[in-house]
Amino acid sequence: MHNELFTIGPFTIYGYGLMIAIGILAAYLNTERLARKAGLDQTPVFNILIVGVVSGILGAKILYYITTIDEIIANPRLLLDFTAGFVVYGGVIAGIVAAAIYCRKKGLEFFKYLDCAAPSIALAQGFGRIGCFLAGCCYGTPMDSPISITFTHSAYAPNNIPLFPSQIVSSVFDFLHFGILCLLFKYNKQPGRIGAFYLIFYSIGRFIIEFFRGDLERGSVGALSTSQFISIFVAIAGIILLICLGQKGKTAEEKGK
């Protein structure tokens, strides 16, 4: 688990950054593929991606600042460190909201594009967690078992201590999540449902994996981690969206009779 993969002259290729880049590229290609299958105009996909990624990075960073506000007050210089410290939920929420605003301004059908993007987000997250594994961030709780991993050169995870492989488990879940959403997309007839399923499935998975995370600096709300607390509301939002879409579909069917 080495974050510094190789060096070419003065440039060093880091595993975390490389996996993020691969994830974004894979997300773009898959979103374009699904948009083509859905009969949508593929031209806006790139712009939606840029809006979502930029807003997502900002949202992930801002939520990280919020969860570490005590440390920032004690040392304001931490605000100048833009390379480390991101909270995925901040990125997901900000990215989706920004994409919705963009689609509204451009007169695009947001839910249809969201359904194409949702599986792609899960795909990108799968690669991102591999990056976390290479860097050693988002590490698991101490666990002496056959599946444990031990870091020896990590700047984030405690070295020489067997840990639960939270990054690998999260990555496997994300890729499985991607596959399930793509399968549901194939049979979906109600725009927005795939996006709703993404919110629900991701929230459930994230809530569970948080019990096995060992990086306590990500903050907490009572007995729950910050991400578990947010997961509850995101899951509820997904369920509400699913119900509303179902009612909308029934209304459309009744009008068509």
Side-chain angles (χ1 to χ4, degrees), residues 4-13:
E4 296 184 11
L5 298 180
F6 54 89
T7 301
I8 303 177
F11 301 101
T12 299
I13 305 300

Side-chain angles (χ1 to χ4, degrees), residues 152-164:
T152 57
H153 300 84
S154 175
Y156 303 100
N159 292 304
N160 304 310
I161 297 176
L163 303 172
F164 176 78

Side-chain angles (χ1 to χ4, degrees), residues 40 48 93 95-105 107-117 191-192 195 241:
L40 296 173
I48 293 173
I93 295 171
I96 291 177
V97 170
I101 294 173
Y102 176 83
C103 287
R104 183 177 179 82
K105 288 186 175 181
L108 302 171
E109 296 180 89
F110 168 66
F111 280 138
K112 288 187 177 182
Y113 281 100
L114 175 62
D115 284 348
C116 297
L241 176 58

Side-chain angles (χ1 to χ4, degrees), residues 29-190:
L29 294 175
N30 187 68
T31 302
E32 195 172 57
R33 178 181 70 86
L34 294 181
R36 182 168 60 253
K37 281 191 172 184
L40 296 173
D41 182 6
Q42 301 163 54
T43 306
V45 171
F46 181 77
N47 289 337
I48 293 173
L49 174 74
I50 295 300
V51 169
V53 169
V54 173
S55 300
I57 292 174
L58 291 175
K61 192 65 181 178
I62 290 173
L63 186 53
Y64 172 75
Y65 285 151
I66 293 174
T67 60
T68 57
I69 189 64
D70 292 338
E71 296 177 27
I72 292 174
I73 291 175
N75 182 15
R77 289 186 178 182
L78 292 174
L79 290 171
L80 301 178
D81 183 7
F82 297 104
T83 59
F86 297 92
V87 178
V88 173
Y89 262 126
V92 171
I93 295 171
I96 291 177
V97 170
I101 294 173
Y102 176 83
C103 287
R104 183 177 179 82
K105 288 186 175 181
K106 296 296 181 178
L108 302 171
E109 296 180 89
F110 168 66
F111 280 138
K112 288 187 177 182
Y113 281 100
L114 175 62
D115 284 348
C116 297
S120 306
I121 296 173
L123 177 62
Q125 288 174 319
F127 285 107
R129 287 307 181 190
I130 295 176
C132 291
F133 175 69
L134 294 174
C137 60
C138 306
Y139 54 88
T141 55
M143 175 183 288
D144 191 4
S145 74
I147 65 170
S148 298
I149 55 174
T150 302
F151 293 92
T152 57
H153 300 84
S154 175
Y156 303 100
N159 292 304
N160 304 310
I161 297 176
L163 303 172
F164 176 78
S166 57
Q167 308 99 324
I168 299 301
V169 172
S170 295
S171 181
V172 170
F173 166 75
D174 288 325
F175 288 131
L176 179 61
H177 190 192
F178 162 70
I180 292 173
L181 292 178
C182 283
L183 181 62
L184 292 174
F185 179 89
K186 186 177 180 180
Y187 300 101
N188 181 53
K189 295 181 180 180
Q190 179 66 49

